[in-house]
Amino acid sequence: MSDAVAGLFQLLRLVSGEDVVQKFAADYATGTIRYGDMKKLLAEDMVRFIAPIREKATAIQNDAAYLRRVMEQGAAKARASAKVTIELAKDAIGLNYI
């Protein structure tokens, strides 16, 4: 099995039902596989598989309050980390005048 075909089967195992994988594996074994049909079904199954992820990402993108809160929390965490780093750098080069 070539790397390309193995890759298709690996994706198929991730997003499709076991019956679909077995059907195409049997077709491959007998030499009757139709790669166009396999790729079309794989594409449909991948779209269905990622649909919840896409919906969640869209919901997050449309929630300005949530995004603002996350950015503010991230900024606060970054400021605290930067403060520690700056103090360590000042100590290391002897800039502690105050």
Side-chain angles (χ1 to χ4, degrees), residues 8-70:
L8 287 174
F9 273 100
Q10 186 174 16
L11 288 171
L12 202 63
R13 281 191 284 289
L14 290 171
V15 299
S16 300
E18 185 60 32
D19 56 326
V20 173
V21 175
Q22 289 177 359
K23 181 238 185 280
F24 283 109
D27 289 352
Y28 180 81
T30 61
T32 60
I33 192 167
R34 294 175 48 109
Y35 290 105
D37 293 343
M38 181 182 183
K39 290 177 183 179
K40 182 179 178 188
L41 183 61
L42 177 59
E44 291 168 0
D45 288 348
M46 289 180 83
V47 168
R48 186 174 42 256
F49 182 80
I50 65 169
I53 299 167
R54 179 179 292 136
E55 290 169 7
K56 180 70 173 174
T58 300
I60 289 171
Q61 289 173 345
N62 292 330
D63 189 347
Y66 172 77
L67 291 173
R68 190 175 311 103
R69 194 168 54 253
V70 168

